[in-house]
Amino acid sequence: MPDLFIIICAGLFGLCFGSFANVVIYRLPKNLSIITPPSACPFCEKRLNLLELIPVLSQLFLLGKCRECKTKISLRYPLVELLCGLLFAAMAHYSPTLSVLPLSVFAFVLLVISFIDADTQEIPDGLVIIGVIAGIIYVAGGHFFPELFPCPPLWHNALIGVIAGAAPLLIIDRITLLVLKKDGFGYGDVKLMAMVGLFIGWRMMLPAYLFALFSATFFIIYLMITGKTKRGAYIAFGPFLCAGTLFALWFGEYVFALYDWYIASLAI
């Protein structure tokens, strides 16, 4: 029951931070302040009151429209709020300890990076820096207070994870640049995965990358079949890296256990 209470509270906090995530996703690429002015309708610029700022529910009460100009508001806003709530709750379920604090910051950063990269194909350095700070707190907490932070990788595994996260993309980018004379991956992706390495360690980088590559491949195939992209076009890889990271964090151990079982079955 105490764990369920923590999960519910984390989810509610996540919904509130989801509203802030929408602000960051919209304003940061435009170099606008994320603090001022207060939230407003993106069409008529009417300032939103407290009742219009209730995560998810406001969209339902207003039938997805601005109360002033009646313009339809994108479903993406409540989607981001809901995703943020679910991510915070999932982190609390994963580790109902003080680890949930840096893990929630990690989830928030991954969520915001995913949407900004999908929109602009850029990953802001400021978000990566926030993730790195949270990662250092996460790993340091596990080193000095293991009973309060039971989940982080050991500090040396985290440091190797930084290298294991950044190196593959950096190497592929250099090879692509030499062979095809164009960038393979942006340096934002490299910095993102270096930050990720702090949280999941070097061992979990393999399932993270595998999930990201498989999901990105299927998405590209879908786009090409439906004619929504053409050969050689760039797509944002950040959202797939973020999804792969969460997959590795939550299910990576199951992947390795399944692999060990498979190898053991071959030896029988």
Side-chain angles (χ1 to χ4, degrees):
M1 185 61 71
D3 288 357
L4 179 60
F5 177 74
I6 293 173
I7 292 170
I8 292 174
C9 289
L12 293 175
F13 274 111
L15 288 175
C16 296
F17 273 92
S19 295
F20 180 59
N22 277 317
V23 173
V24 178
I25 291 167
Y26 179 78
R27 297 186 184 184
L28 194 59
K30 301 178 184 293
N31 294 318
L32 301 175
S33 170
I34 60 175
I35 306 299
T36 58
S39 297
C41 171
F43 302 102
C44 67
E45 299 186 352
K46 173 189 173 294
R47 183 177 298 181
L48 304 181
N49 58 40
L50 289 178
L51 292 178
E52 293 170 311
L53 291 172
I54 301 174
V56 180
L57 295 180
S58 293
Q59 188 85 345
L60 295 176
F61 293 151
L62 297 173
L63 301 178
K65 298 179 181 179
C66 171
R67 186 158 66 173
E68 183 73 17
C69 67
K70 306 303 180 184
T71 302
K72 189 173 182 180
I73 305 298
S74 172
L75 287 175
R76 176 161 140 174
Y77 292 102
L79 174 63
V80 169
E81 293 167 350
L82 185 60
L83 283 175
C84 197
L86 291 174
L87 285 173
F88 276 39
M91 290 302 185
H93 180 269
Y94 174 73
S95 179
T97 62
L98 280 181
S99 292
V100 72
L101 298 179
L103 284 172
S104 294
V105 174
F106 184 45
F108 179 88
V109 168
L110 292 178
L111 177 66
V112 173
I113 282 177
S114 295
F115 279 91
I116 290 180
D117 192 32
D119 288 341
T120 66
Q121 294 192 0
E122 294 182 359
I123 297 177
D125 288 341
L127 291 171
V128 176
I129 291 172
I130 292 172
V132 168
I133 294 172
I136 292 172
I137 293 173
Y138 184 53
V139 174
H143 181 73
F144 293 107
F145 308 102
E147 67 282 356
L148 298 178
F149 295 83
C151 299
L154 298 175
W155 68 268
H156 48 85
N157 289 338
L159 288 179
I160 299 173
V162 172
I163 300 172
L169 294 183
L170 189 58
I171 292 171
I172 293 173
D173 180 72
R174 294 297 88 189
I175 293 174
T176 304
L177 188 60
L178 287 173
V179 176
L180 301 180
K181 308 301 181 184
K182 66 177 184 178
D183 291 329
F185 293 99
Y187 286 110
D189 294 329
V190 175
K191 297 172 187 176
L192 167 63
M193 294 310 287
M195 180 267 290
V196 165
L198 275 175
F199 279 91
I200 67 176
W202 65 270
R203 187 167 175 264
M204 290 300 161
M205 294 310 304
L206 179 59
Y209 270 122
L210 286 177
F211 185 89
L213 289 171
F214 278 120
S215 58
T217 299
F218 284 120
F219 182 69
I220 292 171
I221 292 173
Y222 163 75
L223 291 179
M224 294 182 68
I225 291 175
T226 56
K228 295 181 179 179
T229 190
K230 53 186 178 181
R231 196 180 189 89
Y234 283 103
I235 68 163
F237 194 42
F240 302 101
L241 291 172
C242 292
T245 295
L246 293 173
F247 174 82
L249 179 68
W250 294 331
F251 306 110
E253 291 295 343
Y254 297 104
V255 172
F256 283 112
L258 183 62
Y259 175 77
D260 291 339
W261 171 84
Y262 174 73
I263 294 299
S265 67
L266 292 179
I268 296 176

